[in-house]
Amino acid sequence: MASKTFVPAFKAQVGNWTYYCCLMSYAQVAREINFAHELGGNQDLGTMIQRGVGTRTAQITDYLLTNENRFLGAIIIAVWGGDPNYLELTMDADAENQAVLDGLDRNFGVLTFDGTQQFFALDGQHRLKAIKDAVKRDPDLGGEDINVIVVPHFNTPDGRRRTRRLFTNINRNAKSTNAQENIALDEDDSFAILTRQLLDEHEFLSRDKVVNVFSKVGQEGELVLASRSISPASPAWSAIGVLYDIVKEIGFDLPCTLNESNQRATDEVLDQSYEILATRVQELLDSCGNLRQRYLTAQAPKDVRAPKGRDGAGHPFMRPAVQVAVARAVRHVLEQETLEWEDLMKRLSDLDWKMTSAPFSSMWIETPDGKAKGKMASGKDHTQLLYDLLLVHLAPRTKVQISRALRSYSDIMKTKYPVPMESLSTLLPVDSD
């Protein structure tokens, strides 16, 4: 190293670890910090002290280069060869200001980066690589800052075991946000933003209990977001994760999707997207068996899903699996430009919206005694079958497509499809084979 670099730091203690908290610029990080494999670690199982660098850094690099709201969490780095070069300092001031500083300089000092020791990323190697790549492409990023935590590492069998234990403890006890939490919190994902706006502002979806958002709200801050499933006794139409999927499918061509970077869409674009999306959601709900009106006028909304003693007469669009399959089919037809939105909604409304009716019977298992009771079919085969059948009911392209879907129904359900080939063929385009 040509010259020394001094970094202010606080010395801290936890358990049997002494560590140092400091602030470094991206340029310093890119210049001073290496990867374990470059220093002789991670060559084999005996020396391995962390997982390898994967291929997902390009996304982080793009985030740093394009998102003005970029922020990276602290990187934990280790000193190859022992304790870092740390000099403890005290703060001095005149009598008037000394009282303010008393205690603030506890464990305060300076770390020296002078080439006599080497540093590697113990946790945050993907962030480190992204910083190095981003600074190469845009040197101005070098002036931005990141929190760095420094720990010692001794390249001995005991030292490697100690460092491995720290790495696994950090990653084992860290909990990533789940899919539902990302929907609730993400401020760059346009579909997450629009989903939250629907839950806040949409005339139907904002109603209490229409969409399950939380499964637990505790008095001491506990919040558990709802899963994707809906219990038979629930009054909810859907759940937050399912609504997000629907929004992504029917909103695939919204103005906010034209932005290819990770940068948040502008408020103007999000507003334009919401107006289109809110209308589509309303029309979809009304076209799918007049779901919205039936829900609002029902004495007990849960009975719309499964009327007591007549489960098979329940409304399919009260079932999350059906909701997602319908949204996927709608997107496919629109992307293929087979039908315009208005015509597609008309064909949806022409379907017989009962669980025991085609095409929804592909998701329904009747009881052996033949009574109206039954249960939803589980498994990817049934969900894919419903999707394929929806396509041939809404906008089939060829007779082969229809024949294949009907044959799949017979194979999976062990019975003949109730709608004949001839009826579905009338929906084929004029120039089809």
Side-chain angles (χ1 to χ4, degrees), residues 87-153:
L87 175 64
E88 192 165 306
L89 302 176
T90 57
M91 299 180 185
D92 193 16
D94 55 34
E96 181 179 353
N97 294 313
Q98 188 61 47
V100 177
L101 293 179
D102 281 348
L104 292 182
D105 58 355
R106 182 181 72 87
N107 296 341
F108 175 70
V110 170
L111 286 176
T112 303
F113 294 77
D114 62 0
T116 61
Q117 293 172 308
Q118 293 177 299
F119 298 80
F120 68 93
L122 177 64
D123 182 69
Q125 61 266 36
H126 294 94
R127 278 164 280 163
L128 172 61
K129 187 173 189 312
I131 289 172
K132 288 176 178 285
D133 292 343
V135 170
K136 285 180 183 177
R137 292 167 58 181
D138 183 2
D140 288 342
L141 283 175
E144 301 197 353
D145 299 311
I146 188 169
N147 185 27
V148 175
I149 298 172
V150 183
V151 298
H153 166 73

Side-chain angles (χ1 to χ4, degrees), residues 321 325 328 362-363 378-391 405 408 412:
R328 287 180 58 212
S362 59
M363 292 288 296
S378 60
K380 294 182 179 180
D381 288 348
H382 289 276
T383 54
Q384 182 62 40
L385 177 58
L386 175 58
Y387 171 73
D388 292 338
L389 290 169
L390 281 166
L391 292 182
S408 294
I412 294 173

Side-chain angles (χ1 to χ4, degrees), residues 1 4 14 76 107 117 152 226 259 265-266 274 316 355 391 427 432:
M1 192 181 301
K4 293 183 179 181
V14 61
I76 300 178
N107 296 341
Q117 293 172 308
N259 180 16
T266 65
Y274 178 77
M355 279 308 310
L391 292 182
L427 301 173
S432 65

